[in-house]
Amino acid sequence: MAQNTSDTATSADPYETLGVKKTATQAEIKKAYRKLVRTSHPDINPDDAGAEARFVKVSAAYDLLKDPETRARFDAGEIDASGQEKPQRQYYRDYADAQRSSRDSAGFDSAGFEGMDPQDIFAEMFRQRGGGGQQTHGFSARGRDLGYTLEVPFLDAARGGSAHITLPGEGQIDLKIPAGLRDGQTLRLRGKGGEGLGGGPRGDAQVKIHVQPHPLFRRDDDTILLTLPITLAEAVLGAKVTVPTIHGDVALSIPKGSSSGRVLRLRGRGVERKGKAGDQLVELRIVLPKTIDDKLTACIEEWAKTNSDDPREAMLKGVPR
């Protein structure tokens, strides 16, 4: 459902959600996001009832701050934490220069109009010029552009689709969602805004898109990101597993000896725009069984007796202590 931007509620502060300062670099924001995803993704944390809600909240915060332009607009107070436009008061003085000659020649009195809606100001101009039914000396003005927000499912924004939006005085309108639509983009419906004055054309309806987070997929431009849980056996022995993509399930070969954090690429399985498709990156995440039985414990204990590899050796090399 479409919402007028002035009615949109403000969500939690995205910096607080990601646990970073407002001065954080883009790299620090990305690092914090990846860390939180690993502890909140519902597939990686199946026993955590609150994981999915945290994941959706973290994803929404990162979607706002990962784009420097959107982040700057939030910091400037132009949009709220959900990415929606904040209502701005329009003052008569914003229109003073453009209409000065018309007002002066007609003897228009501007006193007391501070803070009024522009269309109300123009209506009063007409009244002061001689009444609602009299001529307006050829004055005309284009109608105002009206802003709305529309929530679009992740897959519809990535693959393209259609949506319905209800506008005041227009009823329900079909809206085409182009493939690759990004969060925060605006679709323009020409001639669906405010009524023109004095025979002037109507303004436009500007529909700002808010892409809903997906429980599995994340997006970086035209690349789709997915964290894939795998078993210990699949990581050690290798396997062929089924992986979801935005275009449907595909088979993926997991190489023998894969570690958590390894990224595999599915070419052409990302967002397709203008005949060119991005890729899907699959990050492997080893998930141990819920119950570690005696057989597995004994096997690992025996293996550890003859294997002393330290995965932290390279990381700690050269680090002052």
Side-chain angles (χ1 to χ4, degrees):
M1 177 181 294
Q3 294 180 319
N4 192 286
T5 51
S6 61
D7 298 330
T8 304
T10 302
S11 60
D13 185 284
Y15 291 103
E16 293 180 3
T17 299
L18 295 179
V20 298
K21 297 180 180 179
K22 290 190 176 182
T23 55
T25 64
Q26 294 300 124
E28 290 171 336
I29 289 174
K30 189 172 186 178
K31 181 179 179 181
Y33 166 69
R34 287 181 170 177
K35 181 179 179 181
L36 290 171
V37 164
R38 290 167 184 164
T39 60
S40 63
H41 199 290
D43 286 343
I44 303 176
N45 304 273
D47 297 326
D48 188 344
E52 183 172 355
R54 293 199 311 274
F55 173 73
V56 170
K57 187 177 179 181
V58 166
S59 297
Y62 180 63
D63 285 343
L64 182 75
L65 298 182
K66 70 179 181 181
D67 183 347
E69 182 179 347
T70 305
R71 179 185 178 186
R73 294 192 67 203
F74 171 76
D75 291 342
E78 297 176 6
I79 58 176
D80 63 23
S82 63
Q84 298 173 6
E85 298 283 348
K86 287 187 176 181
Q88 298 180 352
R89 292 185 65 189
Q90 294 176 302
Y91 295 97
Y92 165 73
R93 63 173 173 268
D94 296 332
Y95 298 85
D97 292 339
Q99 305 303 331
R100 188 180 305 279
S101 60
S102 297
R103 289 199 305 274
D104 291 345
S105 62
F108 175 68
D109 180 10
S110 63
F113 284 82
E114 187 75 10
M116 281 185 61
D117 185 282
Q119 293 211 30
D120 293 337
I121 294 173
F122 293 141
E124 181 62 14
M125 287 169 60
F126 297 154
R127 186 190 67 77
Q128 291 189 19
R129 284 175 172 179
Q134 297 185 17
Q135 296 295 320
T136 59
H137 307 286
F139 176 84
S140 66
R142 179 181 179 274
R144 289 179 300 160
D145 289 346
L146 301 179
Y148 301 89
T149 59
L150 179 67
E151 291 197 351
V152 174
F154 182 96
L155 293 179
D156 285 350
R159 301 182 305 200
S162 61
H164 302 293
I165 182 171
T166 301
L167 303 181
E170 293 289 339
Q172 191 176 84
I173 295 176
D174 293 330
L175 186 64
K176 182 180 179 181
I177 305 298
L181 190 65
R182 295 186 179 90
D183 187 72
Q185 279 191 268
T186 298
L187 299 180
R188 182 183 295 270
L189 298 176
R190 299 194 179 278
K192 301 300 183 181
E195 294 285 349
L197 298 170
R202 292 187 62 175
D204 300 334
Q206 297 188 12
V207 183
K208 185 172 183 180
I209 300 301
H210 175 60
V211 178
Q212 299 171 339
H214 193 278
L216 297 180
F217 303 115
R218 307 180 305 281
R219 182 177 166 189
D220 184 4
D221 199 8
D222 291 341
T223 300
I224 295 295
L225 309 174
L226 173 74
T227 300
L228 182 70
I230 60 173
T231 67
L232 179 61
E234 289 168 341
V236 174
L237 305 175
K240 180 166 284 191
V241 299
T242 299
V243 177
T245 77
I246 63 172
H247 304 291
D249 295 346
V250 299
L252 174 67
S253 294
I254 298 177
K256 181 179 179 181
S258 292
S259 299
S260 280
R262 182 170 185 175
V263 176
L264 305 178
R265 185 183 298 271
L266 291 171
R267 297 193 179 277
R269 293 291 175 173
V271 177
E272 183 174 351
R273 287 191 300 169
K274 299 179 180 178
K276 184 178 180 181
D279 300 332
Q280 176 168 312
L281 301 183
V282 180
E283 181 182 3
L284 303 181
R285 184 65 52 202
I286 300 173
V287 179
L288 295 178
K290 293 181 180 179
T291 302
I292 306 296
D293 58 25
D294 294 341
K295 187 175 181 180
L296 177 59
T297 301
C299 177
I300 295 299
E301 287 177 345
E302 186 64 27
W303 176 86
K305 291 178 182 178
T306 57
N307 291 271
S308 58
D309 289 346
D310 184 356
R312 297 170 295 279
E313 182 178 0
M315 179 181 73
L316 297 175
K317 227 175 228 184
V319 176
R321 291 191 284 277

